[in-house]
């Protein structure tokens, strides 16, 4: 792992901002207009102080704080999966870079921790690592879709194509099914003494009702009045080539996808039964999926001077056209969504949405985090083995092989081929500004 870049001195935060300051008032007014989800509750003064400080610095201060905290939660969970999860206030105490930024001042620590906590209570809650229901599907095609989308984006921002940034791509993969566990789950963060309330709705979803809803969901009917491109996933289908066909269909939108968001849905419900033993797992069981590319009717525009959190607002507002139920905020386990925020070729931020919750996403999460959301061999019992089938076994095999390749030297290409493609170890999501900031303890899995 690369050592973090200590650029703390480049991040001099203005701490004496008050709600009476004109800069604070200007910031709140702009966010009310462009990111309304952050402005709908009381008790948000610390958050808007951080947003104002970020605007004065011309840096995405709050977003980097949230991203750094999200990554710290994942690291803490990997060390202690059964323990209580890391709270913003405890993170402020434990993180050496946050300690440098605040000079170990408790008032500043409280302000930053409170701002992070408020963010999660406004947009989306913190990702639950032990959810009460799991995706009953094979993990590998999800990795393939993420890899394909990332590869498509990289081709879009580099010669000879070069589509102008910024733009956003939201990838929603609809699972074959959901397996609801019976035991109670306790994944609450440790008690947090921040001023702002944490309104996570971790367990409010009625998974059984939502499963009925997703089974009845007709994607085509929702896209009837939306320009879209539909195709069936085949072994030879390449997402970038499909994008070029889609782009030709939206030719009326000048310089598309610049300053736009477009969505991709990979619908895996074609066969609600578990994967069978005869499946060619090397193909990831994705062949036959129905894939859609479309421009949403709502939350489509991304101006050059957008706020850093504007991407999140767009996904918060709408994912599926003509529906208020299937959004990143309201979706259940069936809303497996990965959002790519493309500021530049070397500045791509990626976020995972699950159950109305959010976390900054790195490729290594495919093997270190996602298996917690999917059935594994450990979930199989005599009573559910028919429902889960061999999905759990396939997922265990995929993760084990991927972890093997991640431990290999970069020049050991021949041995890497023992893993099932895609090779997670070779996936990179470049975000140079974040990597150079004091908020990045790791250089994005390098």
């Amino acid at each position: 792992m690369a050592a973090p870049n200590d650029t703390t001195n480049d991040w001099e935060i203005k701490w004496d901002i008050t709600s009476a300051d004109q800069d604070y008032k200007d910031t709140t007014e702009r966010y009310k207009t462009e990111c309304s989800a952050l402005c709908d509750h009381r008790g948000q003064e610390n958050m808007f102080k951080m947003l104002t400080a970020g605007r004065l610095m011309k840096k995405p201060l709050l977003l980097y704080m949230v991203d750094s905290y999200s990554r710290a939660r994942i690291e803490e969970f990997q060390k202690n999966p059964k323990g209580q999860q890391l709270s913003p206030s405890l993170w402020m105490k434990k993180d050496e870079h946050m300690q440098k930024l605040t000079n170990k001042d408790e008032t500043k620590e409280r302000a930053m921790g409170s701002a992070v906590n408020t963010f999660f209570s406004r947009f989306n809650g913190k990702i639950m690592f032990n959810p009460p229901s799991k995706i009953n599907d094979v993990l590998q095609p999800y990795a393939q879709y993420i890899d394909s989308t990332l590869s498509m984006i990289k081709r879009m921002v580099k010669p000879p194509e070069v589509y102008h940034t910024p733009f956003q791509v939201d990838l929603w993969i609809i699972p074959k099914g959901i397996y609801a566990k019976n035991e109670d789950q306790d994944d609450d963060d440790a008690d947090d003494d921040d001023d702002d309330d944490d309104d996570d709705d971790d367990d409010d979803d009625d998974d059984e009702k939502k499963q009925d809803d997703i089974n009845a969901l007709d994607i085509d009917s929702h896209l009837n009045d939306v320009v879209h491109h539909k195709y069936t996933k085949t072994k030879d289908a390449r997402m970038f080539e499909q994008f070029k066909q889609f782009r030709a269909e939206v030719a009326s939108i000048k310089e598309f996808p610049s300053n736009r968001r477009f969505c991709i849905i990979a619908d895996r419900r074609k066969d609600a039964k578990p994967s069978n033993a005869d499946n060619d797992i090397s193909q990831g069981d994705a062949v036959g999926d129905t894939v859609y590319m479309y421009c949403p009717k709502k939350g489509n525009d991304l101006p050059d001077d957008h706020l850093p959190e504007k991407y999140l607002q767009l996904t918060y507002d709408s994912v599926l056209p003509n529906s208020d139920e299937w959004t990143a905020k309201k979706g259940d386990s069936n809303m497996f969504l990965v959002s790519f925020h493309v500021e530049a070729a070397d500045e791509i931020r990626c976020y995972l949405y699950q159950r109305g919750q959010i976390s900054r996403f790195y490729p290594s999460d495919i093997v270190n985090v996602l298996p917690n959301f999917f059935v594994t061999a450990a979930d199989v019992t005599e009573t559910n083995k028919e429902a889960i089938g061999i999905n759990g076994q396939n997922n265990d095999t995929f993760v084990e092989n991927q972890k093997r390749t991640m431990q290999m030297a970069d020049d050991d290409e021949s041995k890497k081929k023992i893993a099932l493609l895609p090779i997670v170890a070779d996936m990179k999501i470049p975000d140079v500004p974040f990597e150079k900031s004091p908020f990045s303890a790791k250089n994005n899995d390098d």
Side-chain angles (χ1 to χ4, degrees):
M1 296 291 181
N5 297 278
D6 189 358
T7 57
T8 306
N9 293 334
D10 296 333
W11 287 76
E12 291 293 338
I13 298 172
K14 183 175 174 57
W15 294 104
D16 58 351
I17 296 170
T18 71
S19 58
D21 293 346
Q22 189 59 48
D23 288 325
Y24 181 98
K25 293 177 181 178
D26 291 344
T27 298
T28 56
E29 286 304 311
R30 183 165 181 193
Y31 273 84
K32 285 179 183 178
T33 303
E34 296 183 32
C35 289
S36 59
L38 284 176
C39 311
D40 60 355
H41 284 226
R42 59 178 175 80
Q44 55 193 19
E45 186 171 336
N46 283 323
M47 181 184 69
F48 273 99
K49 285 180 180 179
M50 293 299 106
L51 289 171
T52 303
R55 289 192 70 203
L56 293 174
M57 299 161 64
K58 294 182 168 47
K59 294 182 179 181
L61 175 60
L62 179 64
L63 199 58
Y64 279 13
M65 289 163 54
V66 169
D67 290 351
S68 182
Y69 170 63
S70 293
R71 299 311 307 170
R73 284 188 78 237
I74 289 173
E75 289 184 14
E76 190 72 16
F77 173 74
Q78 287 180 259
K79 294 175 185 175
N80 187 14
K82 300 295 184 182
Q84 220 161 16
Q85 300 305 301
L86 186 69
S87 68
S89 59
L90 185 57
W91 164 67
M92 289 299 306
K93 294 286 187 184
K94 294 178 66 173
D95 190 282
E96 62 176 298
H97 302 292
M98 297 304 104
Q99 290 287 289
K100 286 182 180 180
L101 283 171
T102 61
N103 291 318
K104 300 184 179 181
D105 184 303
E106 289 189 1
T107 301
K108 295 175 181 178
E109 290 173 8
R110 183 179 178 84
M112 293 186 83
S114 174
V116 170
N117 215 43
T118 302
F119 171 92
F120 283 106
S121 67
R122 300 298 185 270
F123 266 130
N124 297 81
K126 312 177 193 83
I127 282 282
M128 179 189 288
F129 297 121
N130 292 308
S133 60
K134 288 190 172 187
I135 295 173
N136 185 14
D137 202 349
V138 183
L139 172 57
Q140 183 176 338
Y142 293 72
Q144 289 178 311
Y145 279 119
I146 293 170
D147 187 38
S148 296
T149 305
L150 179 59
S151 297
M152 175 190 71
I153 291 170
K154 288 181 176 180
R155 288 194 64 180
M156 291 166 66
V157 296
K158 293 181 179 180
E161 306 295 341
V162 189
Y163 298 103
H164 297 295
T165 58
F167 62 85
Q168 177 174 349
V169 183
D170 284 353
L171 168 67
W172 176 18
I173 307 174
I174 304 178
K176 286 185 177 180
I178 300 297
Y179 164 62
K181 298 184 292 184
N182 294 323
E183 67 269 20
D184 294 332
Q185 298 293 328
D186 182 10
D187 190 60
D188 294 336
D189 290 341
D191 290 342
D192 204 325
D193 58 1
D194 294 333
D195 291 337
D196 303 315
D197 295 331
D198 188 352
D199 299 331
D200 292 358
D201 297 324
D202 286 342
D203 297 311
D204 289 346
D205 291 332
D206 182 343
D207 281 339
E208 187 173 345
K209 179 181 181 302
K210 276 289 188 180
Q211 191 59 45
D212 291 339
D213 292 343
I214 196 71
N215 288 340
L217 181 63
D218 181 0
I219 301 296
D220 291 279
S221 66
H222 282 270
L223 300 181
N224 271 340
D225 57 349
V226 175
V227 177
H228 65 280
H229 174 64
K230 177 182 177 181
Y231 67 97
T232 300
K233 180 73 173 69
T234 65
K235 179 180 177 181
D236 298 322
R238 296 292 181 266
M239 188 171 285
F240 181 69
E241 298 304 318
Q242 297 297 327
F243 166 76
K244 289 198 292 186
Q245 294 184 42
F246 169 54
R247 189 172 187 269
E249 294 171 27
V250 293
S252 60
I253 302 178
K254 188 178 179 181
E255 295 186 357
F256 180 84
S258 178
N259 301 107
R260 296 279 180 168
R261 173 174 72 119
F262 71 93
C263 299
I264 301 170
I265 294 178
D267 189 353
R268 294 182 45 74
R269 296 172 300 163
K270 65 183 187 300
D271 176 10
K273 298 177 182 178
S275 306
N276 59 61
D278 294 329
N279 249 343
D280 180 5
I281 191 65
S282 66
Q283 295 304 321
D285 193 30
V287 171
D289 291 350
T290 304
V291 183
Y292 303 83
M293 293 184 178
Y294 61 93
C295 295
K297 296 169 63 176
K298 184 179 179 181
N300 195 3
D301 295 324
L302 193 65
D304 284 330
D305 62 345
H306 62 273
L307 296 169
E309 298 80 11
K310 180 64 174 179
Y311 297 93
L312 303 172
Q313 180 72 47
L314 299 183
T315 307
Y316 179 96
D317 285 340
S318 175
V319 175
L320 184 65
N322 304 307
S323 171
D324 293 328
E325 291 301 315
W326 296 104
T327 69
K329 179 65 175 177
K330 295 183 179 180
D332 66 342
S333 295
N334 287 294
M335 179 57 72
F336 182 97
L337 189 143
V338 181
S339 184
F340 296 84
H341 304 172
V342 188
E343 288 280 8
D346 64 351
E347 187 178 359
I348 303 173
R349 292 189 289 271
C350 189
Y351 295 86
L352 170 68
Y353 291 87
Q354 256 281 275
R355 298 179 57 82
Q357 299 153 357
I358 188 173
S359 181
R360 179 69 185 260
F361 180 84
Y362 283 179
S364 60
D365 294 342
I366 292 172
V367 294
N368 293 329
V369 177
L370 296 194
N372 296 287
F373 307 143
F374 287 74
V375 294
T376 65
D379 295 307
V380 180
T381 67
E382 283 298 318
T383 56
N384 68 25
K385 63 181 181 181
E386 183 175 348
I388 294 180
I390 64 167
N391 286 344
Q393 178 185 340
N394 284 342
N395 289 336
D396 287 352
T397 301
F398 173 73
V399 172
E400 288 169 8
N401 281 326
Q402 292 293 335
K403 284 185 175 179
R404 250 188 243 126
T405 63
M406 293 175 76
Q407 295 169 357
M408 293 178 185
D410 289 339
D411 59 354
D412 205 352
E413 295 297 333
S414 61
K415 288 186 179 179
K416 279 186 177 182
K417 292 181 180 179
I418 67 171
L420 305 172
L421 295 175
I423 299 175
V424 174
D426 291 343
M427 293 171 61
K428 305 296 178 187
I429 304 177
D431 186 3
V432 173
F434 181 68
E435 293 160 9
K436 289 183 176 180
S437 79
F439 297 92
S440 177
K442 289 183 174 63
N443 195 4
N444 199 350
D445 295 334
D446 280 353

